[in-house]
Amino acid sequence: MFDSTFFFYLSAMGYFVGFVCYLLHLIGAPQGKGGSGRLGVVAGAGAGGLMKQTTWGTLATWITVVAFASATLGVILRVMELWRVSGFFLPLPVTSSYETFAFFAWVIPLAYLIFEWRYKVKTLGAFAIGLAFLFVALASSPLVADKGAQPLVPALQSYWLVAHVIFTIVGEGFFALAFVAGLLFLWQTWRGKEALAVKKLDEVGYKAIAIGFPFFTLGALIFGMVWAQHAWGRYWGWDPKEVWSLVTWFVFALYLHARVAWGWRDHKTAWLAVFGFVAALFTWFGVNYVLSGLHSYTG
Amino acid sequence: MKCPNCGTTNTSDSKFCHECGTALPQAAAAMPTSPSRDGPALLSFDEKVKRVQEELTGLDCGRCGYASCAENAAAIVRGQSPYDSCVQALPEARERIRLILGLPESVSVSQHLWRTLTSVKLAIGLIAALALLSILGTIIPQGQPDMNYVNRYGLTGYKLIKFFTVDKLFHSWYFLGLLALLGLNTLACLIKRFQVSWQLLRRPHEGQSPVQLLRLENSLELPTGAAPSASLERVAAILTHRGYRIRRKGLQLAAQKHLMGRLGVDLFHASLLLLLMGAIVGGLFGFEGFQVAHKGEIFDVPGSDFQIRVDDLWTVNYPDSSRIKDWYTRLTVLEGGQEVKTQTIEVNHPLTHKGISFYQSSFGSDWFGGAQLTFAVKQGADGTAVSEYEVTVGDTFPLEADLVAKLIAFYPHFVLTEQGPRNRSQRLENPAAYLEIYQGNTLKYWGWTFAHFPDMQIFVAAEPKPSPSDDSAPGPGHGGQGELPYRIEIAGMHAPEFTGLQFSYNPGIWLLYTSFILMTLGMFLNFYLPPRWMWAVAERGRVWLGGKGRDDHEFMSEFEIVAEEVRRALPAASAEKGELRCSTARSSST
């Protein structure tokens, strides 16, 4: 009864309520107002419209923290369940579709809560927690078979699996933040807001990518190549999954270079962040369902 | 605003480059930045000569062909001497002379080539092109038989794919060409950038005047009762405590930390080049192969002087489960018939000998070729068991005195297609045996029996018919009179197991692993150790503090803390609290 799926399920409900509260906060947050500008003593980083406190906002944060705690419990229980059926101790559960989705729905709120605390941006909450809800809901839906802990197939019995998947997912968690920041930026400016008023979103998106990019490079590419060399005898084989992770990496490399070389900001970088995350998602799902290749360990 | 030092594009309002900290030329600066109409054109001849002469060294070295710098200056303005004729002048000085004269930029072909090659824009274009081609390479399946392309894309599509070698896109000349160009571009950018990085690391960190400090994004102006040198001492102590390295010159102080962070980008790109080298070495001198082997088999390893013997192979399941836990193969390396070493490999645990690694890649049973079946023969409506026989394809077994059954074919994965029964795979999906029953030499009955559907067997009386071959066995459902008075059921199935061994030799792998380590280090330096600079000046009962960091947000938090510590450490001169101004480079553009 009180197994990992139960706590993931609980966190899904929590995320949904959190999402609704963040949405009410977002709608209720005052419009307009520029960024921080030159402030006096004790400057608030980017104060103004984006960090306005509302009751809904406070509530949303606490609900998210509780839901995240439940998901954490789920993750811990899952590690123990996997240990029981497989005999392998993996520090984090990433061996099936169900587990990776649930784990992703653990990483996004974690990354988001860090950013909310560090950069005081609550407006991202609605989209970020909404996304986390979608993933844990997807995991709990009938679309994902085999929700229980399964013994590992031979190819997955490697600690490189853990390093490869965890770093990739953490990287993608931060890409997800950049994605929601980009979406929110595009949405706000489309609604007629000054780009300046939501400038903070561009900055937060950049920070998220600056954190996510090393994780993704290390996880998806470097650890992936080391493992491939170790298990298959070739570190790179132009397998569709490999190519798509390279494409994802290319998009974020473009993001970083365009920022420096062309001074791209705002709309252009927001679009790139959105494309980058879409490419990451396609690498994750699209390749499994649309294209075929070596990486089909999970349904 | 482009930084004249390192080429980084900064926001238009930045006063200092956020990458290297160089003061950026402002729009209001004295020098015209372009050969505009109202700039040089308005200057008189004498004024131009005077200005050009100021840019020349005054060494009167004569290497330009004129006796003195003054003569050359006049000749330059008259157009008799090239604007860059002074070999002693710095490139920047020559550039300024060009601007004074209002001459268009003259760029030689090699210079132009170098500029293109060192531009990040080229990198962006190449990355975008490679990304799009890569996507194409996943949409169009790679390395398929020609017929698949014809079926999927039609004849025209097939011809286009073949012409542009899209079926081998990742090894096509244009894909590899773009990759090589990106490598060259990376190398050129790296050289250019590293020169600046090296300068930055070597160059002493200069002090700044109070006016310059107040132009920084983060600054503090504080009146204090302490003596200037004592004030600076306090500031230095605070900054040292926070890990800054301090340089003092009179009443000016310059501090910096995480300067190595600047090298992160250089290291990262250098590691990409190393990776490329590793890939080239591996591609040129390495090889890969695949070997299917049965127990006891010995095979030669191409490109080596040794052989591999497969001693044993087995599968381990999870306890009380049909799920496979792992596949194992015990291999022995033979050199000139001598056993050198024996090792059991499993998935993710290869054997390596003389740089060649052997990987457990697949495992299976020879169902199609070597199946061994047990048939249970039954008789009558109640299905009384008569006897059991163990046979392989081609064997016969007796049903009664003069009636003999012969196993003609065994399909582990039986499917019925329009062309008749076919075998689809080596997996035991729908095992079926095709039998013929003879009386003497006369074929009497023929038909199929299915392991998973024992009731579905069909044996029909034979018309005169051609003997079936493996891939064109007859379909059930038609035939002559009468049925076989026996039931022949598949009671057991065995097949010899084989192991699938992937082997590879890659001499470039250590270059690759080294590049991975450097890449990780480079990313760490770049993203987690961003360089920061601080300056302080103390004079006339005041202290000015200014600073900047590439990570503006985090730097601002640190600056606030430092400012607060300085404020507490220095005795206040008056009730005046001083002014702290903080804003990140990007949000200060209000």
Side-chain angles (χ1 to χ4, degrees), chain A residues 58-147:
Chain A
T58 317
L59 199 61
T61 304
W62 283 111
I63 289 169
T64 304
V65 168
V66 170
F68 174 73
S70 166
T72 310
L73 208 56
V75 166
I76 294 168
L77 283 175
R78 188 59 171 223
V79 168
M80 285 154 66
E81 288 160 20
L82 268 176
W83 195 8
R84 210 171 51 233
V85 299
S86 250
F88 298 100
F89 180 78
L90 305 175
L92 289 166
V94 285
T95 62
S96 64
S97 292
Y98 177 81
E99 286 169 14
T100 42
F101 294 166
F103 181 61
F104 196 46
W106 181 74
V107 169
I108 297 175
L110 176 63
Y112 168 73
L113 286 172
I114 293 171
F115 265 55
E116 181 184 312
W117 167 71
R118 191 79 185 80
Y119 299 108
K120 315 278 181 244
V121 273
K122 255 190 203 213
T123 37
L124 283 184
F127 284 18
I129 301 307
L131 197 64
F133 167 72
L134 280 185
F135 269 90
V136 72
L138 179 68
S140 310
S141 77
L143 287 174
V144 175
D146 288 343
K147 293 185 173 53

Side-chain angles (χ1 to χ4, degrees), chain A residues 39-273:
Chain A
L39 295 181
V41 185
V42 195
L50 291 166
M51 64 172 283
K52 169 85 170 125
Q53 295 289 328
T54 65
T55 319
W56 286 121
T58 317
L59 199 61
T61 304
W62 283 111
I63 289 169
T64 304
V65 168
V66 170
F68 174 73
S70 166
T72 310
L73 208 56
V75 166
I76 294 168
L77 283 175
R78 188 59 171 223
V79 168
M80 285 154 66
E81 288 160 20
L82 268 176
W83 195 8
R84 210 171 51 233
V85 299
S86 250
F88 298 100
F89 180 78
L90 305 175
L92 289 166
V94 285
T95 62
S96 64
S97 292
Y98 177 81
E99 286 169 14
T100 42
F101 294 166
F103 181 61
F104 196 46
W106 181 74
V107 169
I108 297 175
L110 176 63
Y112 168 73
L113 286 172
I114 293 171
F115 265 55
E116 181 184 312
W117 167 71
R118 191 79 185 80
Y119 299 108
K120 315 278 181 244
V121 273
K122 255 190 203 213
T123 37
L124 283 184
F127 284 18
I129 301 307
L131 197 64
F133 167 72
L134 280 185
F135 269 90
V136 72
L138 179 68
S140 310
S141 77
L143 287 174
V144 175
D146 288 343
K147 293 185 173 53
Q150 305 288 335
L152 292 178
V153 301
L156 296 185
Q157 293 163 18
S158 168
Y159 282 101
W160 288 112
L161 159 78
V162 187
H164 172 54
V165 181
I166 290 175
F167 274 74
T168 307
I169 290 184
V170 169
E172 286 180 357
F174 283 98
F175 289 164
L177 270 195
F179 165 75
V180 296
L183 273 191
L184 201 59
F185 181 92
L186 294 171
W187 181 50
Q188 299 277 47
T189 46
W190 178 72
R191 278 173 60 216
K193 270 206 188 182
E194 282 277 317
L196 212 56
V198 283
K199 190 113 193 119
K200 179 104 184 162
L201 290 173
D202 182 61
E203 267 178 61
V204 167
Y206 173 63
K207 299 279 181 212
I209 287 171
I211 297 172
F213 188 77
F215 273 99
F216 185 81
T217 308
L218 209 59
L221 298 175
I222 295 183
F223 290 160
M225 283 196 267
V226 174
W227 187 22
Q229 177 66 32
H230 203 68
W232 298 329
R234 99 282 183 288
Y235 56 88
W236 193 265
W238 298 107
D239 172 78
K241 197 113 179 167
E242 294 171 348
V243 174
W244 269 96
S245 56
L246 184 68
V247 169
T248 307
W249 191 73
F250 275 157
V251 176
F252 287 107
L254 279 182
Y255 180 99
L256 294 173
H257 283 94
R259 254 186 119 84
V260 174
W262 282 333
W264 276 20
R265 295 288 186 278
D266 304 341
H267 286 92
K268 290 172 184 167
T269 40
W271 277 114
L272 269 181

Side-chain angles (χ1 to χ4, degrees), chain B residues 10-57:
Chain B
N10 290 276
T11 41
S12 55
D13 56 313
S14 300
K15 276 134 194 141
F16 294 86
C17 174
H18 76 95
E19 184 69 26
C20 67
T22 309
L24 296 173
Q26 296 301 300
M31 260 316 157
T33 50
S34 65
S36 56
R37 287 120 267 135
D38 54 340
L42 290 178
L43 296 173
S44 70
F45 177 80
D46 288 344
E47 272 174 71
K48 280 186 185 173
V49 173
K50 186 168 160 261
R51 284 210 189 173
V52 170
Q53 203 182 332
E54 280 168 8
E55 297 296 344
L56 300 178
T57 54

Side-chain angles (χ1 to χ4, degrees), chain B residues 228-489:
Chain B
S229 62
S231 306
L232 275 193
E233 209 63 61
R234 293 276 174 79
V235 174
I238 289 166
L239 288 176
T240 310
H241 185 70
R242 299 196 73 84
Y244 280 84
R245 286 174 57 193
I246 314 284
R247 266 187 91 241
R248 274 190 65 176
K249 201 169 137 195
L251 294 177
Q252 288 189 340
L253 177 152
Q256 61 195 20
K257 79 169 170 185
H258 298 171
L259 228 55
M260 292 302 282
R262 160 85 198 179
L263 286 180
V265 169
D266 299 310
L267 200 58
F268 186 85
H269 289 89
S271 75
L272 287 181
L273 291 172
L274 201 61
L275 186 123
L276 205 60
M277 272 168 59
I280 291 170
V281 169
L284 288 179
F285 305 109
F287 59 83
E288 283 175 20
F290 188 78
Q291 179 77 38
V292 170
H294 295 86
K295 187 174 172 176
E297 210 170 310
I298 297 174
F299 64 89
D300 294 321
V301 181
S304 80
D305 57 352
F306 62 88
Q307 295 174 305
I308 293 285
R309 187 179 71 211
V310 177
D311 295 333
D312 202 1
L313 46 110
W314 66 96
T315 308
V316 171
N317 282 9
Y318 281 100
D320 313 318
S321 164
S322 62
R323 285 176 179 271
I324 290 156
K325 185 167 185 185
D326 216 342
W327 294 309
Y328 299 87
T329 305
R330 194 167 68 235
L331 301 174
T332 296
V333 180
L334 301 172
E335 275 181 26
Q338 297 294 306
E339 294 187 7
V340 179
K341 71 170 159 185
T342 298
Q343 190 187 323
T344 301
I345 65 165
E346 58 184 291
V347 181
N348 282 312
H349 297 274
L351 157 85
T352 303
H353 184 64
K354 290 189 171 170
I356 305 176
S357 298
F358 297 84
Y359 302 85
Q360 181 73 62
S361 173
S362 60
F363 207 89
S365 299
D366 264 340
W367 288 111
F368 192 68
Q372 203 168 41
L373 306 182
T374 308
F375 287 108
V377 181
K378 295 175 179 180
Q379 195 176 22
D382 54 345
T384 319
V386 178
S387 50
E388 279 197 3
Y389 301 98
E390 204 170 289
V391 292
T392 56
V393 172
D395 289 352
T396 55
F397 56 95
L399 296 177
E400 57 187 54
D402 58 344
L403 213 54
V404 174
K406 185 177 186 187
L407 175 59
I408 304 292
F410 174 70
Y411 285 6
H413 190 172
F414 176 97
V415 285
L416 196 57
T417 67
E418 285 171 12
Q419 288 87 37
R422 288 284 183 277
N423 182 47
R424 184 170 280 168
S425 74
Q426 275 279 12
R427 292 192 313 276
L428 216 51
E429 295 284 334
N430 182 20
Y434 174 72
L435 297 158
E436 290 178 352
I437 289 113
Y438 290 86
Q439 194 165 36
N441 283 330
T442 320
L443 177 66
K444 297 300 270 181
Y445 303 94
W446 53 267
W448 290 89
T449 176
F450 298 89
H452 293 174
F453 311 99
D455 294 337
M456 218 181 80
Q457 55 179 274
I458 305 146
F459 287 100
V460 291
E463 298 277 297
K465 62 166 280 294
S467 181
S469 67
D470 268 357
D471 56 348
S472 65
H478 57 89
Q481 302 288 307
E483 276 191 25
L484 181 71
Y486 293 96
R487 299 182 55 73
I488 305 173
E489 291 177 6

